Amino acid sequence: MTDVQVPEDQPVTAGDGTAPLLSVRAIRKRFGAVQALQGVSLDVHPGEVVALVGDNGAGKSTTIKMISGVETPDDGEIFFEGQPVHLTSPAVAERLGIQTVYQDLALCDNLDIVSNLFLGRELHRTLIPGLPKLMRKSEMEKRAIPVLKELGINLPPLSTLVASLSGGQRQTVAVARAVLWGSKLVMLDEPTAALGVTQTKAVLELIERLAGNGVAVLMISHNMTDVFQVADRIVVLRLGRTVANFVKCETSLDQVVAAITGSAEEVAIQE
Amino acid sequence: MSIQFERTLQPKSGGWVENWRDRVRAGDLGLLPVILALIVIWVIFESVNGNFLSGRNLSNLTLQITEIGMLGIGETFILLLGEIDLSIAAVSGVAAAVLVLLSNAGINPWICIIAAILTGVIIGGFQGIWVTMIGVPAFIVTLAGSLGYQGILLAFLGSTGTVPIFSHTLLGIAASYIPAWAGWIVALIAVVLYTASLILVQRGRRARNLSFLSLRSIALRCAVVVVVAAVVVGVLNSYRGFPVAGLILLAFVVLFSFVTQSTVFGRHIYAVGGNKEAARRAGINIRKIRIAIFTLSGAMGAIGGIIGASRLGSASPASGGGDLLLDSIAAAVIGGTSLFGGRGSIWNALAGAFVIGSVENGMDLLSAPSSTKYIVEGGILLIAVTIDTITRNRRRTAGR
């Protein structure tokens, strides 16, 4: 098939004309002899759910790592809120409002829900400078409740240990943790892998509500049913390259699968 | 529409009964099993020898467990991180030697104490840096260290062997008691501190519209603390009063319990022990915490060594040897601190030290031979670790 032409310079606008929150332009990354990414471009707008799909090794996780600051691209540019940004570390990405919910969830089983929500960012009061700081436990619990309510999240009491939560509840805690920090872009790596039917439904609804609140969502998934249920747009990667960019309501499962496997001679690029 | 999970409760804190049940189900048994074990052990020994629960014996018991208790606190911190420190007893021996030798050289006892603690801090810090920066497993670093420190101890003591303490200040640490009235003041302070902190927290929760304990529940808890404080001080006063060394141990337990439960640093210790990767991604400085904890463990080893030397009245090649290391690990684990990291508390170490101490003390009263003592202690440790392993497996199932 022919190389897909992706606009590299001019800012891309969505159908409704709003500027993208995140704009990735032709990023490349090489790990030793392996060219992991060779031209990935994608846009995510506020309030939009974009699904990043592709076969194993297509570069989905590497792309997420570039945006979350875990890896830095060799070439190409990343724009956030219209400004070129250099995401040199996860902390830089977090400061901009980019949060990543990892596949293995990164929760501490031995701590309760509030502790996990505020992990690493505990509200505190300095009693004596230089000595351990006093945690403001009640205040943390108080601040968590409205965020959970806004997302319509019903969890067991916040003092419940994460160890005793179900897979869906754990995923919810991980997502809520990302949202609690006022993030503008939430990236989810396989959010419904390993979840049951009911739990998957709950997590997908949470993603929709997240977008409804104006948060931009970029989600990696292998599950086409999930993708077609929540995504507004579907970006397909193959062999480290953006090969297609579908608007969900204008495409079909066959078209997306064809783009993923590369069986189609030509792939529609729709902006 | 809101997302409905299988248990849909308001995002508020539940009652403490549900809370506790939840924690038990998740494999966090808390203090209850060790308190029950302690009661059973005490009843058995009392029924065999009527002197066991006498004021005099309980006072002795309190003194006997101070060294194990200090080391148990240090080991608890290490276990919370999911590491192990096999050198803590040897460190206590070296600290004891430093203390005694400096003191006998005519140096002010307080400076000797500081020097001994610094010895522990330096050794612990060195081990922490080695484990954290170079990545050698703590098991090996502290095992090798343990051997090395025993060598240092022998080198310090030289051909003289046992070196007696002459300083009255140092001997007084483990040999003095506070007067009865001061004991009651300590009890009063404990009750007031507990009540005040409980009420303060509950008022804060109420002001924020969070669930809070009822007045009855607060009163009940305070009543329990009043009774416990009164019984402890009453019993100890029936002999010579509250031992100073026991008071020092209690102060450390309260201080470190506060640090682990109520400070950001404490929270991060649990996070690192529970899921190192999650802690790292949350921006927690794992290296700093590990080095700090190994340093703290060295310091607690040294403090235990000081009290041990004071109790024996000397430092000897046997200081920090024998079953002290296993006793201190046992104190932490029997108390309910997990060997796998992230679970346990400082109070558990105190309770565990009482279990170990009671068994040793009780069998001494029965003049049981060392063979029996070792077998019984080994059995108790094995049971405690088995319970830890089984509950951990249950937690894994619960956590799925």
Side-chain angles (χ1 to χ4, degrees):
Chain A
M1 62 160 270
T2 53
D3 255 12
V4 170
Q5 294 304 306
V6 182
E8 300 205 357
D9 304 309
Q10 72 274 33
V12 183
T13 51
D16 60 357
T18 59
L21 176 74
L22 172 81
S23 191
V24 174
R25 288 286 145 257
I27 54 170
R28 292 165 180 274
K29 179 72 181 179
R30 175 183 281 278
F31 295 107
V34 182
Q35 185 76 45
L37 299 184
Q38 35 194 344
V40 169
S41 299
L42 60 89
D43 289 334
V44 189
H45 297 81
E48 184 185 38
V49 180
V50 174
L52 192 58
V53 300
D55 216 339
N56 291 335
K60 306 183 299 284
S61 293
T62 312
T63 305
I64 295 260
K65 279 182 186 159
M66 303 287 157
I67 304 169
S68 61
V70 174
E71 304 276 357
T72 44
D74 298 333
D75 195 20
E77 279 184 298
I78 298 176
F79 295 87
F80 196 77
E81 296 184 307
Q83 302 297 316
V85 287
H86 296 282
L87 304 170
T88 47
S89 79
V92 173
E94 278 190 18
R95 262 198 301 273
L96 289 172
I98 301 174
Q99 284 281 335
T100 315
V101 179
Y102 295 97
Q103 201 168 356
D104 45 12
L105 297 183
L107 296 178
C108 287
D109 272 355
N110 59 330
L111 297 178
D112 62 17
I113 297 176
V114 206
S115 311
N116 270 286
L117 289 175
F118 285 85
L119 193 64
R121 285 170 262 190
E122 289 83 4
L123 303 178
H124 60 263
R125 190 177 283 137
T126 305
L127 292 181
I128 303 164
L131 289 184
K133 303 175 196 79
L134 181 69
M135 278 190 292
R136 303 177 67 196
K137 289 184 178 175
S138 313
E139 187 65 23
M140 288 194 263
E141 200 172 331
K142 183 193 164 196
R143 299 233 185 131
I145 290 173
V147 177
L148 298 178
K149 274 215 175 106
E150 197 186 343
L151 288 169
I153 295 172
N154 268 324
L155 282 171
L158 292 183
S159 55
T160 309
L161 291 182
V162 165
S164 55
L165 297 184
S166 70
Q169 289 172 326
R170 294 163 63 90
Q171 190 74 56
T172 306
V173 172
V175 173
R177 183 164 182 269
V179 177
L180 192 62
W181 298 98
S183 39
K184 297 165 183 163
L185 171 68
V186 173
M187 297 193 287
L188 302 141
D189 190 358
E190 294 278 2
T192 59
L195 293 191
V197 177
T198 322
Q199 294 176 354
T200 298
K201 182 167 172 280
V203 169
L204 292 180
E205 279 169 7
L206 176 58
I207 292 172
E208 281 175 342
R209 199 163 307 107
L210 213 55
N213 283 358
V215 177
V217 180
L218 180 62
M219 152 180 132
I220 290 184
S221 185
H222 272 118
N223 187 326
M224 288 303 139
T225 323
D226 293 355
V227 167
F228 271 85
Q229 191 178 331
V230 293
D232 298 307
R233 279 187 308 116
I234 301 165
V235 173
V236 183
L237 299 189
R238 188 155 55 80
L239 303 174
R241 226 179 269 275
T242 308
V243 293
N245 186 342
F246 298 107
V247 174
K248 189 212 22 205
C249 50
E250 298 167 9
T251 187
S252 70
L253 181 60
D254 288 342
Q255 261 182 307
V256 175
V257 171
I260 291 172
T261 58
S263 62
E265 266 308 300
E266 48 189 32
V267 175
I269 300 294
Q270 301 168 12
E271 277 293 339
Chain B
M1 194 188 71
S2 73
I3 296 176
Q4 300 291 313
F5 284 108
E6 46 268 58
R7 277 188 299 163
T8 51
L9 294 162
Q10 283 306 303
K12 279 191 169 187
S13 279
W16 66 275
V17 177
E18 290 82 17
N19 213 326
W20 186 80
R21 204 183 51 205
D22 249 21
R23 278 167 200 266
V24 168
R25 210 179 279 155
D28 198 346
L29 301 174
L31 269 175
L32 195 69
V34 60
I35 300 273
L36 287 178
L38 200 56
I39 291 173
V40 170
I41 290 168
W42 284 15
V43 167
I44 290 174
F45 280 125
E46 175 66 14
S47 64
V48 180
N49 184 328
N51 284 328
F52 184 80
L53 289 184
S54 67
R56 176 182 175 164
N57 191 51
L58 289 178
S59 178
N60 279 340
L61 174 63
T62 308
L63 264 179
Q64 281 162 8
I65 65 142
T66 45
E67 190 178 8
I68 299 176
M70 291 294 182
L71 270 61
I73 293 174
E75 199 68 62
T76 297
F77 271 108
I78 295 272
L79 291 179
L80 281 178
L81 279 186
E83 306 279 355
I84 194 148
D85 184 351
L86 299 178
S87 71
I88 192 164
V91 172
S92 81
V94 174
V98 168
L99 178 85
V100 174
L101 292 176
L102 288 182
S103 166
N104 287 358
I107 291 169
N108 179 300
W110 296 104
I111 294 176
C112 297
I113 290 175
I114 292 170
I117 296 176
L118 269 180
T119 308
V121 165
I122 291 167
I123 295 177
F126 160 76
Q127 294 187 145
I129 288 170
W130 205 273
V131 169
T132 308
M133 295 306 185
I134 304 180
V136 182
F139 178 83
I140 297 299
V141 171
T142 58
L143 184 62
S146 179
L147 214 58
Y149 311 141
Q150 280 174 37
I152 293 174
L153 174 66
L154 292 180
F156 276 175
L157 295 176
S159 53
T160 47
T162 304
V163 182
I165 300 179
F166 298 109
S167 157
H168 289 290
T169 315
L170 294 182
L171 287 170
I173 298 173
S176 41
Y177 301 80
I178 60 172
W181 58 267
W184 290 116
I185 289 179
V186 169
L188 185 70
I189 291 173
V191 169
V192 168
L193 267 182
Y194 177 79
T195 310
S197 64
L198 191 61
I199 290 177
L200 213 65
V201 168
Q202 296 307 317
R203 272 177 58 182
R205 293 186 62 86
R206 197 163 95 172
R208 292 178 175 83
N209 263 328
L210 301 168
S211 66
F212 54 91
L213 294 172
S214 66
L215 214 61
R216 216 182 97 226
S217 181
I218 293 178
L220 194 72
R221 283 159 186 240
C222 293
V224 170
V225 173
V226 168
V227 170
V228 170
V231 168
V232 168
V233 172
V235 166
L236 292 175
N237 277 353
S238 77
Y239 183 55
R240 285 182 176 170
F242 212 123
V244 169
L247 207 57
I248 297 173
L249 175 62
L250 186 66
F252 271 108
V253 170
V254 171
L255 171 71
F256 285 131
S257 184
F258 171 78
V259 169
T260 50
Q261 302 305 317
S262 302
T263 69
V264 175
F265 176 66
R267 171 65 51 79
H268 289 179
I269 297 172
Y270 281 90
V272 173
N275 186 343
K276 207 181 283 177
E277 183 57 21
R280 196 183 62 79
R281 285 184 188 173
I284 295 171
N285 188 340
I286 296 177
R287 292 182 159 195
K288 197 174 101 186
I289 287 179
R290 283 169 100 193
I291 294 174
I293 295 302
F294 272 96
T295 309
L296 185 63
S297 177
M300 293 311 293
I303 293 169
I306 294 168
I307 292 178
S310 168
R311 212 160 64 82
L312 287 174
S314 65
S316 77
S319 291
D323 44 6
L324 185 59
L325 169 67
L326 222 54
D327 277 355
S328 60
I329 297 177
V333 176
I334 289 171
T337 297
S338 174
L339 279 171
F340 307 105
R343 285 177 176 84
S345 86
I346 303 301
W347 283 99
N348 290 4
L350 181 64
F354 262 107
V355 170
I356 288 282
S358 300
V359 171
E360 284 183 0
N361 175 297
M363 287 197 293
D364 280 344
L365 278 187
L366 303 178
S367 28
S370 293
S371 54
T372 318
K373 277 170 67 179
Y374 280 137
I375 293 172
V376 171
E377 275 177 44
I380 292 178
L381 180 57
L382 186 63
I383 292 171
V385 176
T386 307
I387 293 174
D388 179 28
T389 309
I390 292 172
T391 51
R392 180 180 187 239
N393 292 341
R394 267 182 59 186
R395 282 197 299 266
R396 275 193 179 155
T397 330
R400 188 160 30 88

